[in-house]
Amino acid sequence: MKNIRNLLFDLDGTLVDSSATIGASIDFALDKLGVSVVGHSPITSLIGMPLLDIFRHQFEMTDEQAEFAISHYRQHYDQLAQAGSRVYDSIHQVLAILRGEGYRLFIATVKPTAIAEKVLTDLELRSYFDGIAGASMGSERRDKASIIAHALKTFELDPSQCLMIGDRDQDIFGARKNGMPCIAVTYGFGSRAELDSAGPHHVVEHSEEIVSFLLNPTMAK
């Protein structure tokens, strides 16, 4: 960890509990298309997946139907203006400490960049971050590996000096594909079994443990 200077954070499930906002927006979109949620996976298990994949694969929509669903989702999500979302405990303190220690902080999220910017601003987190890399508004860049690659290219980051922090297996796989380690957090939306099977570099149960691991890796549990 001595060479790590850049920290890439996932957003939903790592910094912010957005389950109520995302769930309400998915329900709104499904209702607009007359789709029932009965018999489908719990909404929290879907958070972190690209919207196009959620609507196409989880709700068996055509590409055209999925695009309509995404439009309705974003309309409702924007109207909610983070109502129902909250910053996880101690996140403000953790980010402030890490910046104070000289780390550069970035966001790597499946949310489109403009939407992630608004979420971070509304929840008073934007000032901690040097840059935000999100999905494209279309389907061109939506998987986590390509989003992390986009962050590396956009902000001219050396992967050997970078660490990903996230709550789903796609964060771990995406980081590995881009040549960097990943800390998995268990307080988000991914199960412990999901995270362990993906093989993260380290696992933490609370955000404060991120600081402990980075500053005192030999003392971290």
Side-chain angles (χ1 to χ4, degrees), residues 139-154:
S139 60
E140 303 82 18
R141 184 180 67 250
R142 70 180 191 274
D143 67 279
K144 205 52 174 279
S146 64
I147 290 168
I148 293 173
H150 175 64
L152 295 175
K153 181 178 179 180
T154 301

Side-chain angles (χ1 to χ4, degrees), residues 14-170:
T14 302
L15 300 177
V16 176
D17 180 357
S18 50
S19 55
T21 314
I22 291 174
S25 299
I26 290 178
D27 286 345
F28 178 84
L30 294 176
D31 183 65
K32 285 293 184 180
L33 274 76
V35 177
S36 172
V37 299
V38 176
H40 292 285
S41 302
I43 292 298
T44 52
S45 71
L46 306 178
I47 297 175
M49 294 172 59
L51 283 175
L52 186 62
D53 295 342
I54 290 175
F55 291 122
R56 283 199 312 191
H57 303 315
Q58 299 296 321
F59 297 100
E60 301 177 343
M61 294 184 184
T62 64
D63 287 353
E64 183 178 12
Q65 289 173 323
E67 291 296 343
F68 277 121
I70 290 171
S71 177
H72 289 305
Y73 171 96
R74 288 177 176 160
Q75 172 194 349
H76 194 65
Y77 188 94
D78 188 56
Q79 290 175 343
L80 289 175
Q82 315 327 317
S85 293
R86 69 176 184 89
V87 179
Y88 283 115
D89 294 344
S90 304
I91 286 295
H92 281 283
Q93 297 94 316
V94 166
L95 297 177
I97 290 170
L98 293 173
R99 280 189 65 89
E101 290 292 330
Y103 289 100
R104 298 180 69 205
L105 310 185
F106 300 88
I107 292 289
T109 174
V110 296
K111 271 184 166 53
T113 304
I115 295 176
E117 285 269 7
K118 186 176 188 305
V119 171
L120 291 165
T121 299
D122 288 348
L123 296 177
E124 300 181 351
L125 292 172
R126 181 62 183 90
S127 62
Y128 296 111
F129 294 94
D130 293 274
I132 299 173
S136 55
M137 291 298 285
S139 60
E140 303 82 18
R141 184 180 67 250
R142 70 180 191 274
D143 67 279
K144 205 52 174 279
S146 64
I147 290 168
I148 293 173
H150 175 64
L152 295 175
K153 181 178 179 180
T154 301
F155 304 117
E156 300 180 340
L157 304 177
D158 180 347
S160 69
Q161 297 180 338
C162 295
L163 171 73
M164 181 70 203
I165 302 166
D167 71 308
R168 301 303 302 262
D169 57 4
Q170 64 173 354

Side-chain angles (χ1 to χ4, degrees), residues 48 55 92 181 185 187 210 219:
F55 291 122
H92 281 283
V185 304
Y187 56 79
I210 298 170
M219 300 294 291

